[in-house]
Amino acid sequence: MGPALALTACSALAAGALVVRGDRARAWLLLSALLVAPAILLVHVADSDQVRTLRDQPALAVAAGVLGLALIAALAVVFARMPTAFPVAVVATIPFRIPIAVGGSASNLLLPLYLVIAAGAMAWALPQLTRRPPGTAPWQDGSAKPTRWASPSRRDGAAAPGWLEGLLAAVLLLYAIQTGYSDDSDRALENVVFFYVPFAMLYVLLVRLAWTPRLAGISLGVLTGLAVALASVGYVEYATRHLLLNPKVIASNQLEDYFRINSLFFDPNIYGRFLVIVLVLLVAWMLWRLRTRDVALAGIVAAFLFGALVLTLSQSSFMALLVGLAVLGALRWSVRWALGITAAVVLAALIALALGTSAFDGGSSSNEATSGRADLISGGVRLFSGQPVQGLGSGSFSREYRRAESASAERATSASHTIPVTVAAEQGLIGLLAYLALLVAALARLFRGAARAGPVRSGIAAAFAALVVHTLVYAAFLEDPLAWALLAVGSAVAVLPALAADTAAAEPGLEPE
């Protein structure tokens, strides 16, 4: 129970930061989580090769620690003086993963993003603890330059936490508690320390920014430029038939007639998800933009990104893109027409799939047509039926699936690629109900009033819907920082209708209807 108690305490700090109403208390919780999470991780990896190397070379360990702290401190100073630099830094680092050996296995970690989150937490939290009087915005007494950390919709900070924040906190705590009876507590610990806690901190920081259409436009510009660069890497991979990363895909490409790209990502499907999110946000901007030249340029960029998406051969990403574009059509024009066109596209795709399967494969099973997903889902359902109430424990899906189905380690690794089934097997009905309630609250927050509200809210709602669809047939929901970022920005702009209207009126092509 030791690891479970430690993870529960760490998750409680992050959960408290999500739901507490006072900024001073929130600051203490954020800083505490910022200290506790790395401490838990260091204890967990005390015997890893990286830690042993640093322990054997204390000078190197000290130098690495000083360098990391200095970088965080420098970024914190920048973010404190210019808070709008924080979301730009988040966007610039959100795709980059670095492989690190943790607990005997390699994990692809978002180390650059972690540094940005830590610096952002310090930049926001420390002034809350020294501000006079507590909770008062600097511009109210003229003692400091105006800050954009606190939402202008309320002079004392951002909108009060609601159902969404409460459910996010509950899911975090429940996952940590259910680690206590898991057979793979290492996996659960990695999810909590590397994903849930830092991304909850990211949510708290992003939702407290004053998101204007201008800031959203700058962030989209950086994100699009990054996507173009990553797509270019993918095109080079395809042209040279050489992948830079992911040994599994490299081996698969050598055995199959087709060739999949993953750019600087370690997974073609996660790379495809990233491209889908950028495409949906870019198309949202195009649909509300009035200048023909801008729309034409954005269309060229979108075609370039879509070409890279095609080369990933990610079925889940194609499905997510279709849903995202359909949602945009419904929000911009007509729900009826969007549903009709979507149904026609789906029908055409099913017919093409059926014809292609019979013509080239001589007829294949549903499992083969879904790249093994059918067997994975049925195996996950059997795991759920064994422990339907409390589940088998957080993080245990892969190990329990391998044990129950006598599957290989490689196949078990991909067994968690259907999030609802994974949640049901690991956390039972308790976790599944919490997950469904979270989805309802998130969609309600993002879609309420978003219809024809403008490119920012509509784009975020459509992008989140696309991401949710992707998780239904693949992996990584709350383990993906994009999910938290979309929820945070969507929540921030949802409570700023007056600000959005005032700012959009001065920016051609961004006017909400």
Side-chain angles (χ1 to χ4, degrees):
M1 288 295 291
L5 289 175
L7 291 182
T8 301
C10 186
S11 297
L13 294 173
L18 286 167
V19 299
V20 71
R21 291 179 178 267
D23 280 346
R24 191 178 181 86
R26 182 177 291 107
W28 279 115
L29 291 168
L30 276 182
L31 293 177
S32 299
L34 189 61
L35 293 175
V36 172
I40 294 175
L41 177 62
L42 287 176
V43 172
H44 176 61
V45 301
D47 295 328
S48 67
D49 293 338
Q50 287 93 340
V51 173
R52 279 198 298 269
T53 299
L54 294 176
R55 191 166 53 229
D56 296 339
Q57 303 181 45
L60 178 61
V62 172
V66 170
L67 180 61
L69 292 175
L71 182 57
I72 292 174
L75 286 174
V77 171
V78 173
F79 297 155
R81 294 182 176 179
M82 190 169 55
T84 51
F86 175 72
V88 175
V90 169
V91 168
T93 57
I94 208 166
F96 296 109
R97 292 162 171 81
I98 298 175
I100 299 292
V102 178
S105 61
S107 300
N108 302 317
L109 304 180
L110 295 148
L111 294 183
L113 179 61
Y114 298 152
L115 293 176
V116 171
I117 294 173
M122 292 179 61
W124 179 83
L126 291 179
Q128 308 303 319
L129 303 179
T130 58
R131 180 174 294 169
R132 182 185 59 85
T136 301
W139 65 80
Q140 287 182 289
D141 56 12
S143 60
K145 294 182 180 180
T147 180
R148 296 174 65 126
W149 278 110
S151 167
S153 64
R154 284 179 50 185
R155 302 297 284 183
D156 59 345
W163 279 102
L164 175 59
E165 288 76 16
L167 287 167
L168 284 170
V171 167
L172 261 63
L173 283 173
L174 181 62
Y175 189 89
I177 292 171
Q178 291 182 300
T179 303
Y181 53 89
S182 171
D183 280 346
D184 197 353
S185 58
D186 288 347
R187 172 76 64 177
L189 184 146
E190 292 171 16
N191 286 338
V192 170
V193 174
F194 291 140
F195 305 124
Y196 295 167
V197 169
F199 297 162
M201 297 169 64
L202 175 65
Y203 179 96
V204 170
L205 297 172
L206 289 178
V207 82
R208 317 210 80 69
L209 282 165
W211 282 91
T212 65
R214 181 176 180 81
L215 178 57
I218 293 173
S219 300
L220 176 59
V222 174
L223 189 63
T224 303
L226 189 59
V228 169
L230 293 171
S232 300
V233 173
Y235 281 118
V236 172
E237 287 181 332
Y238 187 80
T240 60
R241 291 298 195 272
H242 175 73
L243 291 185
L244 299 176
L245 302 171
N246 198 339
K248 291 182 180 180
V249 179
I250 293 174
S252 176
N253 283 338
Q254 293 174 347
L255 298 175
E256 303 291 348
D257 294 333
Y258 54 79
F259 187 89
R260 306 183 70 186
I261 66 172
N262 55 226
S263 186
L264 298 183
F265 290 72
F266 290 83
D267 188 328
N269 295 289
I270 298 300
Y271 173 44
R273 178 190 294 185
F274 173 77
L275 292 175
V276 166
I277 298 302
V278 178
L279 278 168
V280 171
L281 294 174
L282 186 59
V283 170
W285 181 84
M286 292 168 60
L287 291 180
W288 272 265
R289 193 66 174 172
L290 301 179
R291 296 175 181 174
T292 304
R293 183 181 62 181
D294 293 344
V295 173
L297 178 60
I300 295 173
V301 173
F304 185 82
L305 298 180
F306 181 74
L309 177 63
V310 170
L311 297 180
T312 66
L313 301 180
S314 172
Q315 299 172 1
S316 53
S317 298
F318 298 148
M319 186 182 304
L321 179 62
L322 175 62
V323 170
L325 295 179
V327 170
L328 280 180
L331 293 175
R332 186 67 173 94
W333 293 298
S334 166
V335 174
R336 182 183 305 173
W337 279 100
L339 290 176
I341 294 174
T342 302
V345 172
V346 170
L347 179 60
L350 291 176
I351 293 174
L353 178 63
L355 293 176
T357 299
S358 61
F360 298 105
D361 297 334
S364 62
S365 65
S366 60
N367 187 59
E368 293 171 339
T370 58
S371 302
R373 294 289 192 274
D375 280 354
L376 298 178
I377 292 175
S378 60
V381 171
R382 285 191 290 273
L383 290 177
F384 167 68
S385 63
Q387 295 286 351
V389 178
Q390 77 276 18
L392 296 167
S394 301
S396 64
F397 194 109
S398 181
R399 182 171 295 179
E400 295 290 353
Y401 182 92
R402 185 168 63 248
R403 179 184 301 164
E405 303 295 324
S406 300
S408 64
E410 179 180 357
R411 186 181 176 192
T413 299
S414 63
S416 59
H417 280 183
T418 306
I419 287 297
V421 175
T422 303
V423 172
E426 290 186 356
Q427 301 180 265
L429 283 174
I430 300 172
L432 185 60
L433 290 175
Y435 162 78
L436 294 176
L438 175 60
L439 278 188
V440 172
L443 293 173
R445 170 76 62 82
L446 297 182
F447 278 88
R448 185 181 296 115
R452 304 176 70 85
V456 178
R457 291 201 61 194
S458 298
I460 290 172
F464 184 78
L467 185 145
V468 169
V469 169
H470 197 280
T471 66
L472 296 180
V473 290
Y474 194 62
F477 177 41
L478 292 182
E479 298 84 3
D480 191 335
L482 285 171
W484 294 84
L486 290 171
L487 282 175
V489 181
S491 297
V493 299
V495 298
L496 297 175
L499 174 68
D502 293 342
T503 309
E507 299 185 28
L510 290 176
E511 297 87 347
E513 296 185 9

